[in-house]
Amino acid sequence: MLHHHPVVIIGAGPAGLTAAYELTKRGVHPHVLEAASQVGGISRTEVYKGYRFDIGGHRFFTKVDIVNQLWQEVLGKEFIQVPRLSRIYYQNKFYDYPLSIYNTLFNLGIIESLLILLSYFKARVKGKLQPDVEPETFEEWVTDSFGSRLYRTFFKTYTEKVWGIPCNKIEAEWAAQRIKGLSLKKAVLNALFGSNDTKTLIKKFDYPIYGPGMMWERFQQKVDENGGQVSLNTRVVSIKREGHHITEVIAYKEGQEISLKADKFISSMPVTALVNRLDPLPPDEVLQAAKSLSYRDFLIVALIIDEADLFPDNWIYIHSPEVKVGRIQNFKNWSPAMVPDQSKTCLGLEYFCTEGDEIWNLSDTELLDLATREIEELGLSKASKVEDGTILRQPKAYPVYDRDYRRHLQVIQDYLSQFDNLQTIGRNGMHRYNNQDHSMLTGVLAAQNVLGDHHDLWNVNTERSYHEEFTKEEWKGREKPQLVMK
């Protein structure tokens, strides 16, 4: 069965659906292919016996004005405002996140706190003596910024839980990008002299009343209403090319082969899968680069607990090395509507793993037992209060920024940039740790490129865009927003 479309989009996550919606608003009718049974990708909402839970928790906050406009346009009044509270749990104590000087001093005690400050000042002196030495790894970046003692206490254990590799094997770029506005020097001066000029995280955020999947279901609905098409349970198996021009996509839906020709193609599928499904295959160095990129997988154990209130946080970072769980979501504190019985609580215990490793291969029963045991070990609830639970495994959740990823990704990027009718977008499509607003921005700009613009999508989620420094003035008055380059 052969179909021709103006645009074929692979993947119905935030990036793919945003591109599709933007195109339909301008009279272009794309066909979106999604391998899963529902839209949203990792931003979807799962449901178990009426209990709704996210795949990692997704806040709706951005300073990219066009993205905020899209959220309001599609969901509008069905947002609720949620107070933001997340803390670090370490050695049976809660620490403010970001770290605050008084709370940290109180929890650690004066001696350990003085040792951390001494370590910090030692790192500052070293930095002044070696001003031209740039940190290359996560370990070096955090140690240079905060001292070795604070690094070992608050960064090492959690980071290695998340990525499954030593911190000296992770790119410094990861730390520079993700640890924003935290200054130990400012925190100390603010505490001593009463000023408060340290950057703080947002105090509240928007959230769809029934979880983030609600947003993407509405996007799907809008695409369909505007003349586009979203096909679920449709797995792409081959992407035909003639030189650097894509001619058609071969997919399977319900056991039937579908061939789709198009003028333009947009892909948000993992870029490693994309290059391996090209036909004919790309050169060996491109395939080797794809083989060398890696992902961190993820599973969530959702526990239904017979207690109305356990803790006030939206989520907690578990830095304690004695347990395997890395983060715990409290879905009722995101939206009460996520929990059908307000006398109960639904917690999501998140385990970062790699497909095929020890945690990934545990049976559902073993995972439920592990999570139940660890929630009691942490003192957050009694095991006897756990009534039920379910497991969800999410492969390729996080692109890994190891020491060599940039070199391998550049090989793939250089190769794909030669194609005249293919764009890659989104977190996995670009092997970049995008937040959903930046994934959406790549979708917006890809749609504009289809219509004749020439945006470089690889400049989205540079340090500038990650820090959400697009201003309203930069977007204001433009019918077609342009990406502001550094």
Side-chain angles (χ1 to χ4, degrees):
M1 198 167 29
L2 181 63
H3 305 276
H4 190 279
H5 301 273
V7 182
V8 164
I9 299 173
I10 303 173
L17 285 174
T18 300
Y21 178 54
E22 286 291 290
L23 287 169
T24 63
K25 288 198 296 183
R26 290 163 173 78
V28 179
H29 302 138
H31 192 155
V32 184
L33 310 178
E34 172 55 54
S37 60
Q38 65 187 104
V39 297
I42 199 172
S43 296
R44 69 191 183 277
T45 299
E46 294 283 343
V47 184
Y48 175 73
K49 295 183 179 180
Y51 289 85
R52 307 175 72 87
F53 59 94
D54 296 2
I55 316 303
H58 295 271
R59 289 169 291 144
F60 285 75
F61 172 80
T62 185
K63 290 184 180 177
V64 182
D65 200 43
I66 187 65
V67 171
N68 192 55
Q69 289 174 21
L70 283 169
W71 285 340
Q72 297 302 324
E73 185 178 311
V74 171
L75 207 58
K77 295 179 181 179
E78 293 176 281
F79 272 128
I80 59 173
Q81 277 218 322
V82 181
R84 183 199 189 282
L85 176 62
S86 62
R87 290 178 293 173
I88 293 168
Y89 192 81
Y90 177 69
Q91 292 185 342
N92 301 317
K93 294 176 181 176
F94 286 101
Y95 291 80
D96 293 341
Y97 180 78
L99 297 173
S100 68
I101 193 72
Y102 288 126
N103 171 256
T104 304
L105 282 170
F106 181 79
N107 280 339
L108 289 175
I110 190 66
I111 294 176
E112 180 62 24
S113 297
L114 287 173
L115 289 172
I116 284 175
L117 287 175
L118 183 64
S119 174
Y120 166 74
F121 289 124
K122 182 179 177 182
R124 293 292 84 201
V125 170
K126 180 183 176 184
K128 290 184 182 299
L129 293 175
Q130 300 175 327
D132 298 326
V133 178
E134 290 291 328
E136 296 183 358
T137 69
F138 180 97
E139 181 176 288
E140 290 173 356
W141 192 96
V142 178
T143 300
D144 288 357
S145 299
F146 307 115
S148 61
R149 202 168 187 97
L150 192 69
Y151 157 72
R152 291 195 304 270
T153 303
F154 286 112
F155 292 95
K156 186 177 190 297
T157 299
Y158 181 76
T159 303
E160 292 183 352
K161 273 189 190 182
V162 172
W163 297 110
I165 55 177
C167 288
N168 60 9
K169 302 294 184 185
I170 300 171
E171 267 277 350
E173 175 188 358
W174 168 255
Q177 188 186 77
R178 301 300 292 193
I179 304 171
K180 312 187 297 295
L182 175 60
S183 166
L184 196 61
K185 178 181 177 182
K186 280 188 178 180
V188 173
L189 292 175
N190 290 343
L192 293 176
F193 300 109
S195 62
N196 188 18
D197 61 350
T198 304
K199 291 182 182 178
T200 58
L201 299 181
I202 57 170
K203 300 296 185 185
K204 58 180 65 173
F205 55 87
D206 286 333
Y207 189 71
I209 189 168
Y210 292 113
M214 183 181 185
M215 173 68 76
W216 308 114
E217 288 159 12
R218 292 294 167 81
F219 263 84
Q220 177 188 10
Q221 181 182 339
K222 294 276 190 183
V223 169
D224 289 335
E225 288 173 353
N226 291 349
Q229 182 178 350
V230 179
S231 294
L232 303 176
N233 300 304
T234 305
R235 186 171 60 90
V236 171
V237 295
S238 178
I239 301 167
K240 304 288 187 182
R241 69 182 180 95
E242 293 178 358
H244 296 114
H245 183 83
I246 304 298
T247 57
E248 66 181 300
V249 165
I250 307 298
Y252 277 94
K253 181 179 174 67
E254 298 173 353
Q256 184 177 14
E257 182 179 293
I258 306 170
S259 176
L260 298 102
K261 287 184 176 290
D263 302 316
K264 304 282 187 179
F265 296 83
I266 298 173
S267 173
S268 66
M269 73 190 302
V271 71
T272 52
L274 171 68
V275 299
N276 277 286
R277 291 179 195 176
L278 289 172
D279 182 12
L281 287 169
D284 287 343
E285 62 267 22
V286 178
L287 294 174
Q288 185 57 47
K291 186 178 180 181
S292 300
L293 292 178
S294 59
Y295 298 84
R296 191 64 166 156
D297 307 307
F298 169 93
L299 63 83
I300 185 167
V301 183
L303 297 180
I304 299 167
I305 298 174
D306 186 23
E307 291 192 72
D309 296 295
L310 290 173
F311 49 83
D313 308 71
N314 311 109
W315 68 93
I316 301 171
Y317 300 103
I318 307 297
H319 286 222
S320 304
E322 61 271 13
V323 294
K324 290 183 168 63
V325 64
R327 192 170 56 185
I328 300 177
Q329 307 283 345
N330 191 335
F331 298 113
K332 192 188 210 175
N333 294 342
W334 289 78
S335 169
M338 301 284 279
V339 178
D341 183 345
Q342 296 303 302
S343 71
K344 315 284 187 187
T345 296
C346 182
L347 298 183
L349 281 76
E350 300 174 358
Y351 293 87
F352 306 100
C353 49
T354 299
E355 192 169 353
D357 70 11
E358 179 186 0
I359 294 179
W360 184 272
N361 285 336
L362 291 176
S363 69
D364 286 2
T365 299
E366 289 170 326
L367 285 167
L368 287 168
D369 288 344
L370 172 65
T372 301
R373 184 170 64 250
E374 291 197 338
I375 205 71
E376 181 165 299
E377 286 178 21
L378 291 167
L380 297 176
S381 179
K382 296 286 188 184
S384 60
K385 293 286 187 177
V386 176
E387 293 187 340
D388 198 359
T390 189
I391 315 298
L392 188 136
R393 291 172 170 82
Q394 177 63 51
K396 292 183 171 60
Y398 305 113
V400 172
Y401 283 29
D402 60 25
R403 293 287 303 277
D404 298 316
Y405 101 94
R406 192 198 302 271
R407 174 167 54 87
H408 299 310
L409 184 58
Q410 192 64 52
V411 171
I412 296 171
Q413 182 182 338
D414 290 345
Y415 174 71
L416 293 179
S417 68
Q418 299 174 68
F419 283 78
D420 60 4
N421 66 339
L422 172 66
Q423 300 180 82
T424 60
I425 58 174
R427 174 181 285 192
N428 282 341
M430 306 177 82
H431 200 82
R432 183 168 290 169
Y433 200 112
N434 286 334
N435 284 345
Q436 65 176 343
D437 59 336
H438 295 113
S439 289
M440 290 178 68
L441 183 56
T442 64
V444 169
L445 299 176
Q448 292 178 6
N449 285 346
V450 167
L451 299 170
D453 286 355
H454 301 283
H455 301 292
D456 181 358
L457 304 186
W458 291 92
N459 277 290
V460 175
N461 198 11
T462 58
E463 185 177 352
R464 173 184 173 83
S465 65
Y466 185 83
H467 282 278
E468 298 170 330
E469 292 171 357
F470 290 98
T471 67
K472 291 185 178 180
E473 287 71 27
E474 290 168 338
W475 294 90
K476 191 175 180 181
R478 299 183 181 185
E479 184 177 351
K480 289 183 179 180
Q482 305 295 310
L483 179 61
V484 180
M485 305 295 183
K486 290 184 79 172

